[in-house]
Amino acid sequence: MKLKDLIVGGIIGLMAPVVVAQAEITWGEQYSKSGGLVDVFPLNPSNFYTLRWQGNNVFGAYHLGKIDDLKEVKSSKISSSVNKNIANFEDVILIEERPAVILSNVKDGKDNIYLQQYSYDLEPRGEAKLIASYDLVKGKTKDAIQVIQSKDKKFTAIIWLLVGKKRDNDTYGFKVLDTKLNVVQKGEIEIPFESRNSVVTQKLLTNTGEFFFTLSEYDYDNYRSRDKISPFKDMYLYQVKEDELSRYKLPFKGRRPEAISITSDDDSQFTITGCYGDENVPGISGLFFMHVDFVNEEITREGFTPFDRGFITQNW
């Protein structure tokens, strides 16, 4: 079977259940208020939480919604203050199937990150907890805070950029929390390449609370604007342990990963999938996968499937 047939078959296979299920969909009431849906946090097919922006760009606000049996039973406006100070909304996650809101505010030259837990009925549970506080770099704008969770939602990592300027190495601060908000791991990590020549492409938290990320290294120092091919050099998989980094160089053998996704259920076995480009060839050349054993630093299985010339239209 050809790659094109696999792709088309997969798309049709994914669409078929949706088409069949459309006749059974029961639509809820429509929202007349301005704004829109930002995110959905499913508990099961009929029950979930929502994050909505309601109002216009100037006077609007974020709202949490609780949906039971496909009907909204509760809505609650997210408070934009912490300890009587104005706060910035950062993110919403689920901890033990209850919403938790990540907030931040700048005070006395420091950026303070808070986590406000909510009950099942969207009522605030106690006071917001201070997760981290760090000095802002003078003359540098505040960067967005990133929040990631393990697949089983038992661990949460909050990551913030401490230093990042052109030709300087990026430095990140982070904390990994369990469901009781106990700190499992924390530290500061300096990326071992200049920010000009490196990009952190994926961050991953395993079900055991281990923090990993992938990084692409480039050579922009010798890059010419007329070049049509990205100056990609190598890709690495890093494990973070407090303030230390362990790395494994992924063997792309001259190929250039253009887009990747990484998954893992534990702290040593990973699956990396994505698109790749051949060396010195612009554009995407095919699809790939890798099964990585990080502890033993080896690829246990891999596959690179090139696109046939004109594969989109052949036999159509």
Side-chain angles (χ1 to χ4, degrees):
M1 183 177 290
K2 297 178 181 179
L3 177 62
K4 181 191 68 177
D5 299 326
L6 290 173
I7 295 174
V8 174
I11 294 174
I12 293 174
L14 290 172
M15 292 175 60
V18 176
V19 174
V20 172
Q22 282 183 346
E24 302 177 1
I25 291 178
T26 301
W27 297 103
E29 61 180 292
Q30 293 185 342
Y31 285 87
S32 59
K33 299 178 182 179
S34 61
L37 181 68
V38 178
D39 209 345
V40 174
F41 306 90
L43 302 174
N44 57 55
S46 300
N47 301 308
F48 49 91
Y49 295 104
T50 61
L51 173 66
R52 294 181 56 85
W53 176 264
Q54 292 184 191
N56 57 38
N57 292 335
V58 178
F59 298 104
Y62 287 104
H63 289 250
L64 291 171
K66 183 181 182 183
I67 311 298
D68 286 346
D69 294 327
L70 302 180
K71 295 181 180 180
E72 185 175 67
V73 296
K74 184 71 179 290
S75 178
S76 177
K77 179 181 176 181
I78 294 176
S79 174
S80 58
S81 66
V82 174
N83 298 332
K84 299 182 179 180
N85 293 308
I86 296 176
N88 298 312
F89 171 87
E90 298 288 347
D91 207 348
V92 172
I93 57 176
L94 292 187
I95 298 179
E96 294 186 325
E97 297 190 343
R98 292 186 292 256
V101 177
I102 310 297
L103 302 165
S104 70
N105 70 356
V106 176
K107 186 177 181 181
D108 299 328
K110 290 181 176 292
D111 193 15
N112 306 295
I113 305 173
Y114 293 87
L115 188 150
Q116 175 64 65
Q117 292 184 294
Y118 282 77
S119 68
Y120 293 114
D121 294 323
L122 306 184
E123 298 294 336
R125 298 175 59 208
E127 299 292 329
K129 181 174 180 177
L130 179 64
I131 300 299
S133 181
Y134 60 94
D135 294 326
L136 292 173
V137 178
K138 189 175 181 179
K140 183 179 181 300
T141 57
K142 174 185 176 304
D143 285 89
I145 293 164
Q146 186 173 5
V147 183
I148 60 174
Q149 288 187 289
S150 58
K151 186 176 180 180
D152 61 8
K153 308 294 185 185
K154 291 184 178 180
F155 295 95
T156 301
I158 300 177
I159 307 157
W160 57 93
L161 183 64
L162 289 168
V163 180
K165 297 179 181 179
K166 190 175 182 181
R167 300 188 66 84
D168 288 342
N169 296 41
D170 289 343
T171 301
Y172 292 90
F174 74 96
K175 281 189 177 180
V176 178
L177 312 173
D178 62 16
T179 56
K180 304 302 180 185
L181 303 188
N182 298 312
V183 178
V184 176
Q185 187 182 176
K186 64 179 181 179
E188 295 181 6
I189 52 174
E190 180 178 337
I191 302 301
F193 301 98
E194 291 182 346
S195 58
R196 168 183 168 83
N197 288 316
S198 63
V199 175
V200 175
T201 52
Q202 295 284 322
K203 300 183 180 75
L204 175 73
L205 198 60
T206 70
N207 286 348
T208 54
E210 299 294 337
F211 179 23
F212 288 81
F213 66 88
T214 55
L215 178 142
S216 291
E217 179 191 4
Y218 298 88
D219 183 14
Y220 278 104
D221 293 328
N222 298 310
Y223 179 69
R224 298 168 298 181
S225 58
R226 65 177 180 272
D227 293 340
K228 296 182 179 180
I229 301 174
S230 167
F232 172 81
K233 289 183 66 177
D234 290 301
M235 177 172 279
Y236 304 90
L237 176 61
Y238 283 89
Q239 181 180 19
V240 181
K241 283 286 190 181
E242 303 295 339
D243 298 328
E244 298 181 357
L245 295 174
S246 301
R247 81 177 186 183
Y248 172 57
K249 181 179 175 180
L250 298 171
F252 278 93
K253 302 173 184 177
R255 301 181 184 97
R256 181 184 64 257
E258 294 285 356
I260 71 165
S261 175
I262 180 170
T263 58
S264 175
D265 289 334
D266 53 41
D267 57 359
S268 62
Q269 305 294 322
F270 299 87
T271 299
I272 302 175
T273 58
C275 303
Y276 74 91
D278 285 323
E279 189 173 14
N280 298 323
V281 177
I284 295 174
S285 303
L287 305 174
F288 80 91
F289 76 91
M290 286 184 179
H291 292 173
V292 183
D293 183 337
F294 186 83
V295 173
N296 295 312
E297 297 188 355
E298 65 178 357
I299 303 297
T300 58
R301 190 182 175 196
E302 67 176 6
F304 289 83
T305 304
F307 294 143
D308 292 334
R309 181 175 297 181
F311 85 103
I312 291 293
T313 57
Q314 66 181 11
N315 299 328
W316 283 24

